[in-house]
Amino acid sequence: MASATTNPTLNISLVNRTSFRNVNAYVTGLAINNGYRFVLIQADGHTPYYPESPNSTGASLAANCSIPLGPPGTSTSVTIPRIAGGRIWFCINDTLTFLLNPGPGLVEPSVSNPADLNYGKNWGFCEFTFNDFQLFANISYVDFVSIPIALNLSNASGGKQSVTGIPKDGLQRVCEGLVAQNAKDGKGWDRLIVRGKDGSILRALSPNTAMVMDGSLFQGYYDAYVNAIWERYQTDSLYVDTQAQWGTLTAKVDPITNLLTFSSIGAFSKPSARDIFSCSTGPFAGYPINTEAMGNLTARLAAALNRSTLLEDNLQPGRTAAAYYTGGGGVTNHYSRVVHAVNGDGRGYAFPYDDVGASGSSDLAGAVWDGNPSVFEVVLGGY
């Protein structure tokens, strides 16, 4: 068994590059070395808090876990234990409310529930896992875009990695892109924009999140494109490089069942827009057999559909990143397209399988990782 390579704790530098003096941070996740219990870091930035199970739902935390950042231009040091499924949250000019349910279960802030105490506040997060073997972190836009966040990671050998994130006016530019796209196709992209009580832009939702709140959005959006895909692969073969032990698998649409069928592995029915944007419903939900292989295929098919390359390229993952979002006769995940265009380096995790790419292609998901991290810097406020 491989030995651990990372230190048992990691120092994180939280940099306030906003123009606001009142910024609060929160760190949440599952404590790897403490039975994967929920853990939050307390207000001092260093003391772990492991919540106990409350007697009722919606209980308050028993510790103050709001970490105040210093004024603009300063850094705040935070120390974490090994954490899986971690998030670093930021809230500007306010605090966030985390609650507990029996279990315990941690109730996190929500952008899809207007009744949530945090809904009208200006907040965002990045994601990370710090385990025995590496730190892995990424900027996530899977749910929404709000506050600009950037990542800088240095290792003990002096190596450096960065993800620039969106610029200071990035949210405004994303919203401008959504409005422009809606002016072209009238499909409701402008309805992804959420405004605060004062009318200012609060965030831009992903299609998946927006459809949770409004089921009328994007109904039938992908239907014609999916029908064209099914028509092509009745005669042509689709090849999917699993980039794993299954190698490259071949599929055709079965003329009897009308399913996109990978022989001896499984089959997929036609997905709806909801299935494509969520990557986890309809044909992309649970699988009765070959779970790992079908999950692998789901990631590649869902990525191809979000990027509109599945009809245009019969070898997936799509080989040319420059072709992403240009196919489909204009039918594509324009939220993801706009988000990538606004990010300074074009990188960011804009839908659940945005890390899928052809072998040898560059990372587009906005991730940094290293087995020997020395300095992890999370910068709030944009370049």
Side-chain angles (χ1 to χ4, degrees):
M1 185 174 179
S3 59
T5 59
T6 60
N7 292 322
T9 60
L10 176 70
N11 291 326
I12 303 175
S13 179
L14 306 180
V15 182
N16 182 3
R17 201 176 284 167
T18 73
S19 58
F20 300 97
R21 300 184 67 86
N22 180 15
V23 181
N24 290 285
Y26 305 80
V27 180
T28 65
L30 301 173
I32 293 174
N33 294 342
N34 193 359
Y36 285 85
R37 294 177 60 187
F38 281 110
V39 61
L40 298 92
I41 304 301
Q42 296 189 42
D44 63 4
H46 306 287
T47 305
Y49 161 57
Y50 302 99
E52 300 292 337
S53 180
N55 295 323
S56 59
T57 60
S60 299
L61 301 181
N64 178 8
C65 296
S66 180
I67 304 168
L69 269 58
T74 63
S75 300
T76 301
S77 179
V78 172
T79 304
I80 64 168
R82 293 192 178 117
I83 289 177
R87 284 182 173 179
I88 302 171
W89 310 71
F90 298 97
C91 185
I92 291 178
N93 282 338
D94 214 327
T95 58
L96 292 178
T97 298
F98 294 82
L99 300 173
L100 296 172
N101 286 340
L106 184 65
V107 182
E108 298 178 337
S110 171
V111 295
S112 60
N113 177 14
D116 186 276
L117 294 171
N118 307 287
Y119 184 81
K121 300 178 181 181
N122 186 12
W123 55 273
F125 60 80
C126 63
E127 299 177 322
F128 73 94
T129 288
F130 174 57
N131 58 26
D132 294 1
F133 306 107
Q134 69 171 350
L135 169 71
F136 181 95
N138 68 275
I139 301 173
S140 178
Y141 305 112
V142 168
D143 297 326
F144 63 100
V145 176
S146 60
I147 307 169
I149 297 174
L151 306 177
N152 298 312
L153 175 61
S154 300
N155 64 21
S157 302
K160 298 180 183 296
Q161 303 173 54
S162 295
V163 182
T164 63
I166 58 175
K168 288 184 180 296
D169 63 346
L171 176 59
Q172 178 68 34
R173 288 169 58 182
V174 167
C175 292
E176 289 171 354
L178 294 172
V179 170
Q181 183 57 44
N182 188 69
K184 288 181 180 179
D185 65 18
K187 298 301 182 182
W189 298 100
D190 59 331
R191 290 161 66 186
L192 304 183
I193 300 169
V194 177
R195 296 182 180 273
K197 291 181 179 179
D198 62 357
S200 63
I201 296 173
L202 198 56
R203 63 184 68 98
L205 300 178
S206 69
N208 180 42
T209 302
M211 291 180 78
V212 170
M213 301 182 68
D214 182 355
S216 68
L217 272 172
F218 303 114
Q219 290 298 311
Y221 177 70
Y222 269 99
D223 286 0
Y225 184 62
V226 170
N227 287 339
I229 291 168
W230 251 244
E231 183 177 351
R232 173 178 180 179
Y233 295 117
Q234 287 177 3
T235 53
D236 291 347
S237 292
L238 171 67
Y239 303 97
V240 178
D241 181 1
T242 65
Q243 300 163 306
Q245 66 265 32
W246 306 283
T248 297
L249 298 175
T250 305
K252 276 192 171 182
V253 174
D254 186 293
I256 298 174
T257 64
N258 200 34
L259 300 177
L260 182 64
T261 302
F262 293 83
S263 180
S264 302
I265 299 293
F268 295 87
S269 60
K270 290 182 178 181
S272 67
R274 177 85 172 104
D275 304 330
I276 292 167
F277 288 138
S278 73
C279 304
S280 62
T281 58
F284 301 143
Y287 322 103
I289 58 173
N290 296 328
T291 301
E292 289 188 20
M294 288 292 284
N296 178 290
L297 291 170
T298 283
R300 282 145 184 80
L301 295 178
L305 286 160
N306 275 277
R307 295 165 176 161
S308 299
T309 63
L310 193 58
L311 174 63
E312 295 73 8
D313 191 343
N314 73 333
L315 175 60
Q316 294 294 328
R319 290 166 282 185
T320 307
Y324 293 175
Y325 311 110
T326 64
V331 174
T332 194
N333 185 339
H334 288 290
Y335 166 85
S336 183
R337 175 185 63 78
V338 170
V339 166
H340 280 282
V342 171
N343 272 265
D345 53 8
R347 301 164 64 207
Y349 210 89
F351 62 88
Y353 291 117
D354 208 2
D355 54 345
V356 169
S359 297
S361 62
S362 60
D363 162 63
L364 293 177
V368 296
W369 63 92
D370 199 276
N372 194 13
S374 60
V375 178
F376 180 40
E377 189 177 66
V378 183
V379 184
L380 186 72
Y383 61 90

